[in-house]
Amino acid sequence: MLTNVKNFLLETWIFFNIGIKQQKTLILITSLFSMVIPLGVIIMVCMMPVEIDNETAIIYISGNMVTSISNLCITTLAQILIGIRSRHGFEHMATLPISRWSPLIGYLSSSAVSTLPALIVMPIIGQIVFGVKVNINAIVILLIVLGVVIMAGIGAIIGTCSDNYQVSETISMIMMFFVMFATPVYYSIEKLPVTIQLFQRTLPFTYILEAIRYVMLYGLANEMVNRNIVILFIYLLIVLFFTNKFFNWNQKR
């Protein structure tokens, strides 16, 4: 058992380094690009002739963080897998005596290097610009980890859902815009019509945002946060089930 774990970690480390080497010349550019949209949102908010209260500021700060996570775990991961598949890399992976998860986690981790600056800088910039205190604690980190795993599962499924490069690429881009504009990333769900609220309650992003905003604002968990964490664990199990079912280097459609 211990040997298997060591082998898995070694395999993951190898693919992490491969991913870093593949993007090393662009890592600074991608790091900056990952902050373009969030920074643009904050700048636009600051230009509005309205006073931003603490709750509104937290909405934008947390929304920027979730946007960065979704771009990494759904869009970027899906496009990495699409690129591997387009080069017939799936067939190569299937012949290797390795875990099917180690390349996935390795490539995801290497891509995270360019996204981490956005996750770190956004709360800092938000606090400076909006003049609010953002509480970052173990609960926030847990919620981020749950979001990463759930969204990575979605990205893995999209990246392997079709042999057609254009189809998979289109689906990944649709998902990016869906997260940005069809989920409560930059607004409070309570202000929406009931029918839209019911729809958004079917999405894991809503529970991540709702819980993370409360903890960032008040620094502790309440009944709603605890309930949302339980719901997110259920989503996690569902996503892992479907990822395990559909993600396969041998998959052909």
Side-chain angles (χ1 to χ4, degrees):
M1 180 65 178
L2 184 60
T3 302
N4 291 337
V5 172
K6 287 182 177 179
N7 289 338
F8 174 78
L9 293 175
L10 178 60
E11 294 164 6
T12 303
W13 175 250
I14 290 171
F15 283 104
F16 170 81
N17 281 282
I18 292 173
I20 291 293
K21 289 179 180 179
Q22 289 175 343
Q23 61 173 332
K24 65 179 180 180
T25 57
L26 298 174
I27 197 164
L28 179 60
I29 296 174
T30 53
S31 296
L32 294 172
F33 182 77
S34 70
M35 291 187 283
V36 168
I37 294 177
L39 281 173
V41 171
I42 288 179
I43 291 171
M44 285 190 294
V45 171
C46 292
M47 294 174 64
M48 294 180 182
V50 294
E51 184 177 349
I52 305 297
D53 58 23
N54 288 0
E55 186 174 352
T56 303
I58 293 295
I59 285 175
Y60 286 111
I61 293 169
S62 60
N64 288 336
M65 293 177 70
V66 171
T67 299
S68 297
I69 294 170
S70 67
N71 286 341
L72 164 69
C73 298
I74 298 179
T75 309
T76 303
L77 180 58
Q79 290 176 346
I80 287 172
L81 292 173
I82 293 166
I84 294 173
R85 169 165 247 165
S86 69
R87 298 189 298 270
H88 305 289
F90 276 27
E91 290 85 347
H92 171 68
M93 294 291 187
T95 63
L96 299 177
I98 60 173
S99 166
R100 62 172 168 159
W101 298 105
S102 53
L104 184 69
I105 297 174
Y107 282 121
L108 176 63
S109 301
S110 66
S111 299
V113 171
S114 60
T115 304
L116 282 175
L119 292 178
I120 296 170
V121 170
M122 285 305 111
I124 297 173
I125 292 178
Q127 290 186 83
I128 295 172
V129 172
F130 296 126
V132 300
K133 179 183 179 182
V134 179
N135 294 290
I136 305 294
N137 55 28
I139 303 172
V140 172
I141 294 172
L142 172 62
L143 289 164
I144 290 174
V145 170
L146 287 171
V148 166
V149 178
I150 291 170
M151 295 184 205
I154 296 172
I157 293 172
I158 293 174
T160 59
C161 68
S162 173
D163 282 332
N164 188 303
Y165 180 91
Q166 286 75 20
V167 169
S168 297
E169 181 79 9
T170 300
I171 294 174
S172 71
M173 295 304 296
I174 289 173
M175 277 301 302
M176 180 184 73
F177 287 107
F178 177 82
V179 173
M180 289 179 61
F181 301 110
T183 63
V185 173
Y186 294 120
Y187 50 84
S188 174
I189 186 173
E190 287 78 14
K191 297 180 180 178
L192 297 173
V194 176
T195 52
I196 298 179
Q197 287 190 40
L198 291 174
F199 165 71
Q200 295 198 335
R201 286 290 176 192
T202 65
L203 305 173
F205 316 104
T206 299
Y207 298 98
I208 297 170
L209 287 163
E210 191 176 50
I212 210 170
R213 283 167 180 168
Y214 186 91
V215 179
M216 282 185 170
L217 191 60
Y218 298 106
L220 46 80
N222 65 353
E223 184 179 349
M224 176 272 294
V225 173
N226 293 330
R227 181 200 65 211
N228 283 16
I229 289 174
V230 172
I231 293 172
L232 287 170
F233 269 108
I234 294 172
Y235 272 106
L236 177 66
L237 294 175
I238 293 171
V239 169
L240 288 177
F241 170 79
F242 282 103
T243 305
N244 185 62
K245 184 177 178 63
F246 292 107
F247 176 67
N248 192 313
W249 297 117
N250 286 315
Q251 182 183 359
K252 287 291 180 181
R253 294 289 181 101

